[in-house]
């Protein structure tokens, strides 16, 4: 069963994001790509829930909003809207629709996440790998920081052990 209120809120969030992007003076080509990215992210992430209870789509839209509020380049905003799709096997779709630059940004942010998962204690070698990965393109760090900021904003709804792990 569809929740009409939820659908309306989601549509309003999409609209609010696009209005913000217009106000930040992104060009029409970028705005059209943002709309396409939102549709793709919604299709693949709307039904998947995060520990905080919201959907991965909601999270990606907030990450995109953080990036747009800070006037990030359109490719970085697109990567923010789509970053959750790396684990969904959608990298070819991203390459086709948005190009190799957006794919590279998403892959770089995903590489950082994977390095952190493999190196919980973040040993010097793991830290070196993270720094090397991100030095190729500073925009990867900007994407990762926007993602982390949104995760930190929703900490209060998580169990204490999860809060400590994420923080």
């Amino acid at each position: 069963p569809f929740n009409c209120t939820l659908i309306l809120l989601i549509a309003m969030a999409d609209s609010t994001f696009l209005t913000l992007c217009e106000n930040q003076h992104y060009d029409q080509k970028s705005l059209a790509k943002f709309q396409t990215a939102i549709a793709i992210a919604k299709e693949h992430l709307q039904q998947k829930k995060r520990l905080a209870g919201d959907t991965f789509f909601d999270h990606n839209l907030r990450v995109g909003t953080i990036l747009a509020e800070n006037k990030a380049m359109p490719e970085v905003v697109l990567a923010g809207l789509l970053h959750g799709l790396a684990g969904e096997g959608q990298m070819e779709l991203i390459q086709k629709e948005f190009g190799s630059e957006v794919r590279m940004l998403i892959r770089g942010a995903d590489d950082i996440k994977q390095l952190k998962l493999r190196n919980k204690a973040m040993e010097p070698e793991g830290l070196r790998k993270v720094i090397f990965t991100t030095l190729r393109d500073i925009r990867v760090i900007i994407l990762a920081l926007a993602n982390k900021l949104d995760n930190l904003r929703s900490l209060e709804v998580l169990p204490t052990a999860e809060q400590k792990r994420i923080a």
Side-chain angles (χ1 to χ4, degrees):
F2 289 108
N3 181 332
C4 292
T5 304
L6 179 61
I7 292 170
L8 182 59
L9 287 173
I10 292 167
M12 286 172 53
D14 297 1
S15 174
T16 301
F17 171 78
L18 292 169
T19 300
L20 166 71
C21 292
E22 287 174 4
N23 292 339
Q24 295 289 50
H25 306 291
Y26 286 98
D27 62 26
Q28 290 301 312
K29 183 178 176 184
S30 297
L31 294 172
K33 285 184 178 186
F34 295 161
Q35 285 180 308
T36 302
I38 288 169
I40 291 171
K42 192 181 294 185
E43 176 185 344
H44 293 279
L45 301 174
Q46 186 62 44
Q47 301 304 316
K48 295 179 177 24
K49 296 280 186 190
R50 293 173 6 117
L51 286 174
D54 58 340
T55 69
F56 279 94
F57 170 73
D58 296 331
H59 165 70
N60 280 28
L61 190 61
R62 289 191 307 267
V63 170
T65 299
I66 290 166
L67 294 164
E69 285 172 341
N70 288 285
K71 300 180 181 172
M73 295 174 65
E75 297 80 14
V76 180
V77 176
L78 286 166
L81 293 169
L82 297 164
H83 76 277
L85 297 176
E88 298 293 312
Q90 299 300 321
M91 293 308 284
E92 275 128 40
L93 173 65
I94 290 169
Q95 170 83 33
K96 180 181 165 221
E97 292 290 329
F98 305 102
S100 59
E101 200 168 351
V102 174
R103 179 184 173 144
M104 182 276 304
L105 292 169
I106 293 169
R107 179 64 64 209
D110 194 53
D111 287 348
I112 291 172
K113 180 181 172 185
Q114 295 306 317
L115 283 170
K116 276 179 43 186
L117 291 174
R118 286 195 305 264
N119 298 296
K120 290 277 188 193
M122 204 43 106
E123 311 253 339
E125 179 63 19
L127 185 57
R128 186 190 67 75
K129 287 179 183 177
V130 168
I131 291 169
F132 183 73
T133 298
T134 55
L135 282 179
R136 286 182 271 162
D137 195 329
I138 192 72
R139 296 173 302 171
V140 172
I141 296 173
I142 293 168
L143 173 59
L145 288 172
N147 185 35
K148 186 67 167 182
L149 176 59
D150 184 65
N151 287 335
L152 290 172
R153 287 178 174 171
S154 61
L155 275 182
E156 72 278 351
V157 299
L158 299 176
T160 305
E162 277 299 303
Q163 289 179 16
K164 289 179 181 176
R165 183 189 65 79
I166 292 170

